[in-house]
Amino acid sequence: MRFTTRPTLQGTFGMVSATHWLASQSAMAVLEDGGNAFDAAVAGAFVLHVVEPHLNGPAGEVPILFAPAGGEVRVLCGQGVAPAAATVAHHQGLGLDLVPGTGPLAAAVPGAFDAWLLLLRDHGTKPLEDVLRYAIGYAEHGHAPVENVGATVESVRTLFETEWPSSAEVYLPGGRAPRPGELLRNRALAATWRRLLAGTARAGGREARIDAAREVWRSGFIAEALVRQSRRPTLDTSGRRHTGTLTEADLAGWSASYEAPATYDWNGWTVCKAGPWSQGPAFLQQLALLPPALPAYGSADYVHLLIEGCKLAMADREAWYGDAAEVPLADLLSDEYNAGRRALVGDQASWDLRPGSPGGRTPRLPTQAHRLVTGDARFSPMGAGEPTVADLTGEARVAADGGTRGDTCHLDVVDRWGNMIAATPSGGWLQSNPVVPELGFPLGTRLQMTWLEEGLPNSLTPGRRPRTTLTPSLALRDGVPVMAFGTPGGDQQDQWQTHFFLAAVLRAPVRGGLDLQGAIDAPNWHNDSFPSSFHPRGRRPGSVTVESRTDPGVIEALRRRGHDVTVGPGWSEGRLCAVARDPETGVLSAAANPRGMQGYAVGR
């Protein structure tokens, strides 16, 4: 019998898995109230803005993968674009060679809010006030924060007290950082949502009111406040004060949109991801790089194979993925191309960044792609992979406990009708930009993922999306949606998800279904041999970080193969959430990550 930290939940009514228990239970409450998976996901997402403000916010971004019952898998893109004035020349004219990791200069057009409302309008059943009431309640009346909210606030206390007073007002009331067991309130945020609902009450029916709320975001009091904040000189990671480029026209001219997923077929499964404006296809390419026969699961040969395949896929990500150029995705995922790439995997670890030449094209890496991680920029024990915050000199620092890192959220929902959704909200962290005083939340910083160099697929380009690390997943079996999953973790997301997926589908089932909890609990790992997507964009050639629960024999074998292995805490790699549905029986299942002690799955 296989033992896990928790059971894989099973039922027939509905299942939710999220990175915070309050979001999971709020989403479940919507299902219990007759809502579908999409209503539930929207409610859970707005709760995540409140209870994980160091991990996401309304002005952040979210890619969403969803499958309506009996329908096709779709991607809903909630990744905003670079403003019209955000050009390489503009930033270089300010003396910058990288987009700052904090501050309004790094702000893309906010995308999360519009994406969630578009999903609710088109695929939900509930009115906006019904799904917002959970978030309003926690913001107005308070919630008991998890430890890392306070740890993050303490890490930027000096910045808040001396430079970002609007943030101090929300997160340092009376000079005291949030503490577990005490209530944290964000009354400004609650007031924003109440004003939004009041201002759209006479707009007509359910859909009309949702569209009216979207218009308030784009051109009403919310848009006006966001633009005012962008124009305020703000200290950022460059050590200087900059204003942003976001304008009223940028906000008015953008909306979330639907598109087809990128897909790859592997052993009877079809994995669906967002397109190459995300890092999602790197997951697909890791599958394409696998040989027909795999080494024993968890063996040194198995781990080495996945690490080396990941390095090749991530090198291709850096050379080819982005929204500023056409991406040769068909060639990158073709059997012929990956057979040639697979031949590069030898017995020893590669420390080189080796992009390929899909269709005979010549790869081009950013000039700064070989920047190494130096000084105090360390990877946190939680393996978060999202950006560090900065002290007033602009130097990126990470506390020993990893508490200062920004990160991401995730939630998955499946309902009794078979609707399924996976979403990875992020950005708009409390430590990314000052809180907009009138609104209770800050702008995001996703433009830090672009390069200040012309002619690259991920060059900073007006009207184009920065290549995001956010990458939820849906997996189909014989063409039928079976599993929705994802994780926080920046550049690690499509490493941890690949390991989870293979663990879930390769290992023996439990209780007649996929062993979701066992796959989440299994020892995980990541490598940082490629350029980080976050300021200051460093890389660690040859590095591999594994959990201490990993077989010591495997660790020693990896070192003999030339991997620079760091052994982290036993429960530090991966923060997966997952739900599933057996199309033959209708049985639903769910599981959540025990690492960090805040993710939970619920259902019945």
Side-chain angles (χ1 to χ4, degrees):
M1 182 176 179
R2 184 178 299 147
F3 291 95
T4 59
T5 58
R6 308 167 183 177
T8 295
L9 306 184
Q10 290 190 325
T12 56
F13 180 82
M15 291 284 163
V16 182
S17 181
T19 51
H20 195 291
W21 65 84
L22 291 179
S24 296
Q25 191 53 50
S26 298
M28 192 67 201
V30 173
L31 293 180
E32 296 284 3
D33 194 43
N36 66 18
F38 309 123
D39 298 312
V42 176
F46 278 92
V47 170
L48 286 174
H49 296 158
V50 179
V51 300
E52 295 191 322
H54 59 310
L55 307 181
N56 78 138
E61 43 274 325
V62 59
I64 301 169
L65 268 77
F66 68 99
E72 298 293 323
V73 175
R74 298 291 287 169
V75 175
L76 177 50
C77 175
Q79 174 58 67
V81 299
T87 65
V88 170
H90 174 75
H91 285 62
Q92 288 179 340
L94 297 172
L96 299 171
D97 61 354
L98 291 172
V99 177
T102 59
L105 199 57
V109 177
F113 178 89
D114 194 65
W116 287 119
L117 264 63
L118 186 62
L119 178 75
L120 182 67
R121 186 197 72 181
D122 293 347
H123 298 281
T125 64
K126 293 285 189 180
L128 181 58
E129 59 267 28
D130 281 11
V131 297
L132 272 181
R133 67 188 180 95
Y134 305 93
I136 291 173
Y138 286 124
E140 189 167 67
H141 303 297
H143 64 95
V146 295
E147 287 82 352
N148 274 344
V149 174
T152 302
V153 172
E154 285 291 358
S155 74
V156 287
R157 172 184 284 275
T158 301
L159 180 65
F160 281 12
E161 291 177 336
T162 61
E163 295 283 342
W164 296 6
S166 59
S167 297
E169 183 174 349
V170 174
Y171 293 107
L172 285 168
R176 185 182 175 94
R179 296 188 181 186
E182 300 178 358
L183 291 180
L184 171 63
R185 297 176 176 86
N186 188 341
R187 293 190 176 94
L189 178 59
T192 296
W193 297 149
R194 289 195 182 281
R195 181 179 175 186
L196 178 76
L197 292 174
T200 58
R202 299 180 181 178
R206 190 187 79 91
E207 291 82 3
R209 290 190 65 186
I210 293 171
D211 277 337
R214 296 172 68 206
E215 283 304 311
V216 171
W217 180 276
R218 284 198 289 258
S219 58
F221 79 93
I222 294 177
E224 293 168 359
L226 292 172
V227 171
R228 279 197 301 272
Q229 185 64 47
S230 178
R231 290 172 177 164
R232 292 180 177 129
T234 302
L235 185 69
D236 58 37
T237 53
S238 71
R240 290 179 285 148
R241 293 175 179 82
H242 292 110
T243 56
T245 57
L246 187 67
T247 67
E248 293 88 345
D250 294 318
L251 283 163
W254 184 86
S255 64
S257 59
Y258 297 104
E259 58 188 58
T263 63
Y264 186 77
D265 295 331
W266 184 83
N267 282 13
W269 290 86
T270 300
V271 180
C272 303
K273 303 290 283 187
W277 53 268
S278 76
Q279 70 170 335
F283 181 122
L284 308 181
Q285 191 174 355
Q286 288 176 82
L287 295 179
L289 285 162
L290 295 175
L294 292 177
Y297 174 84
S299 66
D301 288 343
Y302 177 87
V303 177
H304 172 77
L305 177 70
L306 294 188
I307 293 169
E308 294 304 299
C310 175
K311 291 175 185 177
L312 294 173
M314 289 301 198
D316 279 343
R317 181 196 78 165
E318 207 52 60
W320 300 108
Y321 293 9
D323 196 38
E326 291 296 321
V327 179
L329 191 58
D331 288 330
L332 286 164
L333 297 180
S334 69
D335 292 340
E336 179 182 8
Y337 176 73
N338 285 290
R341 298 287 277 159
R342 191 182 307 126
L344 297 176
V345 177
D347 291 333
Q348 291 295 302
S350 170
W351 286 44
D352 298 324
L353 195 60
R354 300 181 291 175
S357 301
R361 301 169 181 85
T362 301
R364 178 185 164 197
L365 290 170
T367 302
Q368 300 193 58
H370 297 280
R371 180 194 296 259
L372 301 182
V373 173
T374 58
D376 287 333
R378 302 174 186 173
F379 291 88
S380 77
M382 285 305 296
E386 294 282 277
T388 59
V389 294
D391 65 13
L392 295 181
T393 67
E395 181 181 2
R397 296 184 183 273
V398 181
D401 66 356
T404 63
R405 301 188 71 86
D407 201 353
T408 297
C409 307
H410 187 82
L411 77 160
D412 304 306
V413 187
V414 61
D415 64 27
R416 61 191 184 274
W417 300 288
N419 299 302
M420 187 178 291
I421 182 170
T424 310
S426 188
W429 306 289
L430 67 87
Q431 66 275 28
S432 63
N433 259 298
V435 165
V436 183
E438 307 93 316
L439 303 179
F441 59 84
L443 287 164
T445 56
R446 194 57 57 170
L447 293 185
Q448 68 179 291
M449 312 185 93
T450 61
W451 293 105
L452 296 184
E453 183 176 345
E454 299 285 7
L456 299 170
N458 193 31
S459 298
L460 177 62
T461 306
R464 294 290 183 171
R465 294 166 287 192
R467 189 194 67 216
T468 183
T469 52
L470 308 175
T471 173
S473 304
L474 274 177
L476 289 64
R477 183 73 176 175
D478 299 323
V480 180
V482 170
M483 182 164 52
F485 57 98
T487 180
D491 293 306
Q492 282 80 58
Q493 287 183 30
D494 278 322
Q495 300 185 59
W496 293 335
Q497 289 187 75
T498 300
H499 309 159
F500 161 80
F501 174 75
L502 293 174
V505 304
L506 293 177
R507 303 200 310 172
V510 295
R511 296 179 178 169
L514 294 167
D515 184 12
L516 299 182
Q517 193 65 52
I520 288 173
D521 287 356
N524 216 320
W525 67 92
H526 80 273
N527 85 92
D528 301 294
S529 293
F530 47 88
S532 168
S533 295
F534 297 92
H535 190 279
R537 311 302 300 269
R539 60 185 289 260
R540 291 177 176 269
S543 68
V544 177
T545 303
V546 303
E547 292 181 322
S548 62
R549 295 182 295 128
T550 305
D551 183 339
V554 170
I555 294 172
E556 289 309 309
L558 292 174
R559 285 174 171 153
R560 286 195 299 270
R561 291 172 182 253
H563 296 281
D564 181 11
V565 180
T566 297
V567 179
W571 295 90
S572 56
E573 292 287 320
R575 290 176 60 199
L576 271 296
C577 296
V579 300
R581 179 180 183 272
D582 187 323
E584 294 184 1
T585 65
V587 171
L588 312 178
S589 56
N593 171 54
R595 301 164 179 88
M597 297 187 292
Q598 65 186 69
Y600 262 91
V602 296
R604 68 173 180 89

